[in-house]
């Protein structure tokens, strides 16, 4: 009896894998408008272009004005420079690098999951730990990071990439502020699984994805970074293997571009879902790039893509 039970479980696992693979193969690029305002941001003839492929799992794309992207590969455990012609250069080998940003000094800041730390990475592949503890306890696995309107770093710390066998020391999954003196302040512990995050262009609203709840939360922000009035901004429901709310970017008009089920969901600043950019591979994160920041560079599973838009991106570390 045990043999047949084991065989049945094995067959069910194989079927699930085949169904997932089949679903991925049938996915493609499509522009799915819900509101006519979608076309104010995306051209009807917009073309999705592959930049580079052959990765394990891409994350944390960041455009450098020198003409390349920084891209994390969580499977290969490296950060690369990726050029528009597809060429890759290894920057650093690092256990499970995740979300990235530039700070106001143009340092590359990475969420280093295995180190359980926020680090600064130099162009020649060295790193410095900026913070790895809150209240004397090690972080879970920092996931995504941005620079705020006050110049401080803001990051999420879910347990998504907590190393197997290591202890969770902080009994919640928080969102934090890290200042230039190394001080870490907890902003909220109200989310179940905080992930991507972004500020509105005026710095008055703070958006955070909750991947487990499949929603986007928004908070009001005080000048010192204190959050208040947390509420649900939008929901991104989907099937089990369709993806969850993850990376967030905002354009200069305050519209949100949020990775989610099957692609990139576009929201206006009032929480109206304008439409979805369906992707051939599930995206995890995205960034603005090229000369006028009118191109979305998208980290999607094994590949990096680019998509020119009609709108102009808001880039926090360049904000005055």
């Amino acid at each position: 009896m045990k043999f047949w039970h084991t065989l049945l479980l094995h067959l069910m696992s194989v079927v699930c894998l085949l169904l997932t693979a089949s679903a991925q193969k049938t996915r493609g690029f499509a522009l799915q408008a819900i509101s006519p305002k979608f076309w104010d941001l995306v051209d009807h003839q917009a073309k999705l272009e592959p930049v580079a492929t052959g990765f394990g799992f891409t994350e944390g794309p960041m455009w450098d004005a020198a003409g390349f992207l920084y891209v994390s590969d969580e499977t290969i455990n490296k950060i690369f420079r990726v050029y528009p012609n597809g060429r890759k250069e290894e920057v650093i080998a690092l256990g499970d690098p995740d979300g990235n940003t530039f700070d106001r000094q143009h340092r590359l800041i990475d969420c280093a999951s295995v180190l359980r730390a926020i680090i600064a990475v130099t162009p020649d592949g060295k790193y410095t730990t900026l913070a790895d503890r809150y209240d004397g306890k090690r972080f879970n696995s920092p996931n995504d990071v941005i620079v705020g309107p006050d110049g401080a770093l803001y990051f999420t710390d879910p347990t998504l990439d907590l190393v197997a066998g290591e202890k969770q020391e902080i009994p919640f999954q928080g969102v934090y502020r890290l200042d230039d003196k190394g001080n870490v302040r907890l902003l909220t512990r109200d989310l179940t699984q905080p992930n991507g995050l972004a500020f509105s262009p005026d710095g008055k609203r703070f958006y955070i994805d909750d991947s487990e709840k499949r929603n986007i939360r928004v908070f009001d922000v005080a000048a010192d970074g204190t959050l208040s009035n947390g509420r649900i901004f939008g929901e991104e429901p989907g099937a089990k293997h369709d993806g969850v709310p993850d990376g967030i970017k905002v354009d200069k008009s305050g519209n949100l571009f949020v990775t989610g089920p099957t692609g990139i969901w576009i929201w206006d600043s009032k929480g109206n879902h304008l439409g979805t950019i369906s992707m051939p591979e599930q995206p995890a994160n995205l960034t603005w790039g090229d000369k006028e920041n009118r191109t979305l560079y998208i980290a999607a599973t094994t590949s990096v893509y680019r998509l020119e838009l009609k709108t102009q991106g808001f880039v926090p570390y360049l904000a005055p």
Side-chain angles (χ1 to χ4, degrees):
M1 192 69 167
K2 183 177 180 182
F3 168 80
W4 291 110
H5 179 70
T6 302
L7 180 61
L8 180 60
L9 288 176
H10 176 71
L11 289 173
M12 289 175 64
S13 298
V14 170
V15 169
C16 287
L17 287 171
L18 289 173
L19 288 173
T20 301
S22 176
Q24 288 286 337
K25 286 179 181 178
T26 58
R27 289 175 58 161
F29 171 67
L31 302 175
Q32 302 168 338
I34 294 175
S35 164
K37 294 180 181 178
F38 179 87
W39 303 116
D40 294 337
L41 309 176
V42 185
D43 192 279
H44 283 81
Q45 306 304 318
K47 304 290 186 184
L48 184 71
E49 302 174 46
V51 177
T53 192
F55 297 94
F57 187 88
T58 55
E59 249 289 1
M62 282 301 299
W63 174 257
D64 191 291
F68 61 85
L69 291 163
Y70 284 105
V71 177
S72 297
D73 190 319
E74 294 191 58
T75 302
I76 298 174
N77 294 320
K78 293 179 179 179
I79 297 176
F80 294 94
R81 292 186 192 89
V82 178
Y83 292 85
N85 64 3
R87 182 165 62 92
K88 307 172 192 174
E89 292 178 352
E90 180 182 328
V91 177
I92 187 173
L94 186 75
D96 199 3
D98 209 320
N100 298 305
T101 190
F102 288 125
D103 66 7
R104 292 285 174 82
Q105 291 74 50
H106 203 72
R107 295 183 301 173
L108 180 67
I109 308 299
D110 175 67
C111 292
S113 299
V114 169
L115 296 176
R116 301 169 70 167
I118 300 295
I119 64 173
V121 180
T122 61
D124 61 350
K126 305 293 191 302
Y127 75 85
T128 302
T129 298
L130 303 182
D132 60 2
R133 283 171 168 78
Y134 169 70
D135 198 23
K137 298 179 176 65
R138 296 180 72 193
F139 293 137
N140 300 317
S141 57
N143 184 276
D144 209 353
V145 58
I146 57 169
V147 64
D150 55 358
L153 296 172
Y154 291 74
F155 65 96
T156 55
D157 185 43
T159 57
L160 283 165
D161 294 313
L162 182 63
V163 178
E166 292 197 4
K167 179 183 177 183
Q168 180 182 352
E169 298 183 18
I170 300 173
F172 53 82
Q173 303 185 54
V175 182
Y176 299 89
R177 177 184 183 273
L178 170 63
D179 67 21
D180 58 3
K181 296 180 175 59
N183 300 311
V184 177
R185 175 155 57 93
L186 176 66
L187 300 177
T188 181
R189 52 185 292 178
D190 291 344
L191 284 81
T192 305
Q193 199 176 73
N195 199 325
L197 65 176
F199 281 94
S200 61
D202 62 8
K204 294 181 179 180
R205 298 208 287 177
F206 188 41
Y207 304 98
I208 312 170
D209 285 331
D210 190 325
S211 292
E212 184 169 311
K213 298 294 186 182
R214 291 178 175 265
N215 62 34
I216 307 160
R217 298 282 295 279
V218 62
F219 296 81
D220 298 328
V221 188
D224 65 352
T226 301
L227 306 183
S228 61
N229 192 26
R231 57 212 184 266
I232 294 177
F233 174 81
E235 308 267 2
E236 293 191 350
K240 184 176 181 181
H241 298 291
D242 283 349
V244 297
D246 198 336
I248 307 176
K249 289 299 178 285
V250 179
D251 71 9
K252 285 194 170 181
S253 298
N255 301 296
L256 277 69
F257 295 73
V258 185
T259 64
T262 73
I264 300 165
W265 293 43
I266 301 179
W267 301 81
D268 69 15
S269 59
K270 296 179 180 178
N272 298 307
H273 180 204
L274 305 181
T276 300
I277 301 168
S278 181
M279 294 285 296
E281 297 181 79
Q282 180 57 37
N285 217 327
L286 62 174
T287 194
W288 298 105
D290 293 344
K291 187 173 290 186
E292 295 184 344
N293 292 308
R294 294 183 184 275
T295 300
L296 270 184
Y297 282 93
I298 306 155
T301 314
T302 67
S303 306
V304 176
Y305 299 88
R306 70 189 300 273
L307 181 67
E308 289 189 35
L309 298 178
K310 295 164 73 173
T311 188
Q312 187 171 24
F314 171 67
V315 182
Y317 69 88
L318 295 178

